[in-house]
Amino acid sequence: MTTRRNFLRNSLLSSTALLPGILKKGADQLSYGFKTTEAYKPLFVSTWNYGINANTRAWEVLQKTGSILDAVEEGVKVSEADPASRTVGIYGYPDREGIVTLDASIMKGDGDCGSVCFVRQVKHPVTLARKVMEKTPHVMLAGEGARQFAIAEGMPMEEEVLHPESRKAYEKWLKEAEYRPVINIENHDTIGMIGVDQNGTMAGTCTTSGLAYKMHGRVGDSPIIGAGLYVDNEVGAATATGMGETIIKICGSFLVVELMRQGRSPQEACEEAISRLIKKNEENIEDMQAGFIAINKEGEYGGYAVHPGFNFIIHHAGGSKNIDAKSHFNTSR
Ligand code: ASP
């Protein structure tokens, strides 16, 4: 019988045979070697180095409006509108039917939150998520319902034409992949941004076009509050990137925040959450990248990933810095 796990497993295009020694370190052999000593307020942290312009924008908006919520929304809108992004927004890679579907979420430190998933033709799903939070009694709208809500809110609908580079990649995938969703560590990336102002008020956003060539209807962690994003003014904030299925299984961002509540630094909390994620996904972990970033209300930060290659941007009054995250496994792919 084909189990879901085998189905996904059989879809892998990369071979684990090429990765000698990658699993040498056991999931419970983790040692916390790195404690954040720096603390900044205000502070923005976002996933991946393409977040540099997003963070700069967030900083500008915070200076101008004083609103940490406006700042994290406007920040990630830079990535959503970037025609060069293949993993965030409408210019991203499509699903296996050739359709781009988007997931996004937004959360305030007081618990208010909103999200949209499996939505089409919306240039700024993060703004739509904010409208769900502020203008409806709900937290999450999906698919056609989310699109109709966007239209009702006067948001323009984008034409559904693949970006030429996404089309080229999709056509190549159609020829080579026999219509199987590709589950590996390369075909995805999300921008998640978390920020704290000088008073310790926090907010976060997370937005993505999700896994490339996913099954139509697949939703990742990014729009799921507690998985892709969680913010609590009493403690801190966390957001995630990487294989959404692995992150959902451990309620990843909520877990990171709860670990900080128990006294872990942001760095320790990210490391422990990655350890938990590895334990729950051990069978396929060679091919699954995932990473967390976190801040606490003091303005300390941290970030950690399963595999090397993950980086994040911090932005504070002293400027921006790209940080290569440490990872559980050390073998580069
Ligand atoms: N987490 C996103 C998803 O699974 C994609 C990513 O960040 O790589 O849809």
Side-chain angles (χ1 to χ4, degrees):
M1 198 176 96
T2 305
T3 62
R4 177 178 168 279
R5 178 173 280 194
N6 286 339
F7 169 68
L8 293 175
R9 180 76 189 161
N10 293 339
S11 311
L12 296 174
L13 292 186
S14 54
S15 165
T16 56
L18 298 173
L19 301 166
I22 198 165
L23 280 173
K24 267 186 193 150
K25 197 172 171 190
D28 46 10
Q29 287 174 270
L30 195 70
S31 64
Y32 301 119
F34 175 70
K35 244 189 155 157
T36 309
T37 47
E38 301 172 329
Y40 304 98
K41 282 197 278 189
L43 172 69
F44 292 98
V45 185
S46 69
T47 54
W48 303 107
N49 53 17
Y50 57 61
I52 195 151
N53 294 335
N55 279 15
T56 303
R57 175 77 185 133
W59 187 263
E60 283 166 9
V61 172
L62 182 67
Q63 301 311 308
K64 208 165 134 192
T65 68
S67 163
I68 194 77
L69 186 66
D70 289 351
V72 292
E73 178 193 355
E74 292 299 324
V76 299
K77 279 170 71 178
V78 172
S79 299
E80 288 182 339
D82 183 358
S85 175
R86 301 278 81 78
T87 55
V88 176
I90 53 171
Y91 307 110
Y93 293 128
D95 65 16
R96 68 178 187 173
E97 311 299 333
I99 299 167
V100 176
T101 69
L102 306 170
D103 298 338
S105 60
I106 189 163
M107 186 165 192
K108 288 163 61 188
D110 65 4
D112 270 357
C113 51
S115 75
V116 291
C117 65
F118 188 47
V119 67
R120 293 162 67 165
Q121 294 182 271
V122 175
K123 189 169 185 178
H124 289 301
V126 72
T127 299
L128 187 57
R130 182 167 176 178
K131 287 179 186 295
V132 172
M133 172 173 80
E134 292 178 341
K135 298 192 168 185
T136 80
H138 306 305
V139 165
M140 190 170 197
L141 289 181
E144 182 57 15
R147 200 181 73 93
Q148 289 300 332
F149 176 58
I151 293 168
E153 284 295 313
M155 293 176 79
M157 288 297 107
E158 303 298 318
E159 223 186 318
E160 277 193 308
V161 180
L162 291 182
H163 185 280
E165 276 182 34
S166 296
R167 167 152 301 284
K168 211 164 121 199
Y170 175 59
E171 282 167 0
K172 185 164 179 275
W173 174 84
L174 273 181
K175 270 192 219 131
E176 293 170 359
E178 296 169 4
Y179 201 59
R180 291 175 306 203
V182 182
I183 303 287
N184 68 19
I185 70 175
E186 282 137 22
N187 278 308
H188 50 93
D189 283 347
T190 290
I191 183 157
M193 180 182 288
I194 44 184
V196 57
D197 70 13
Q198 64 270 33
N199 305 315
T201 303
M202 283 177 270
T205 44
C206 190
T207 177
T208 188
S209 52
L211 190 64
Y213 323 127
K214 59 196 174 187
M215 290 177 70
H216 189 60
R218 181 265 187 188
V219 170
D221 60 304
S222 310
I224 299 177
I225 300 297
L229 177 68
Y230 199 73
V231 186
D232 186 339
N233 279 342
E234 286 177 11
V235 181
T239 188
T241 181
M243 188 58 60
E245 284 75 1
T246 67
I247 297 161
I248 292 169
K249 280 189 200 173
I250 60 158
C251 288
S253 294
F254 180 72
L255 175 63
V256 171
V257 172
E258 290 309 295
L259 289 166
M260 290 192 285
R261 194 187 304 277
Q262 292 166 18
R264 311 297 197 282
S265 70
Q267 183 63 31
E268 288 170 337
C270 290
E271 293 187 16
E272 191 160 338
I274 288 291
S275 173
R276 183 89 60 93
L277 182 148
I278 290 167
K279 276 185 198 155
K280 296 284 183 198
N281 295 277
E282 233 151 14
E283 193 189 326
N284 295 339
I285 203 66
E286 327 70 87
D287 291 289
M288 302 290 184
Q289 175 63 306
F292 293 108
I293 55 172
I295 56 175
N296 64 16
K297 63 180 182 181
E298 280 79 39
E300 294 177 310
Y301 64 87
Y304 201 66
V306 175
H307 296 285
F310 174 50
N311 44 43
F312 57 97
I313 302 287
I314 64 163
H315 193 119
H316 51 78
S320 267
K321 191 159 110 188
N322 177 21
I323 297 180
D324 288 325
K326 295 190 181 204
S327 55
H328 183 85
F329 299 114
N330 295 319
T331 312
S332 264
R333 296 203 54 178

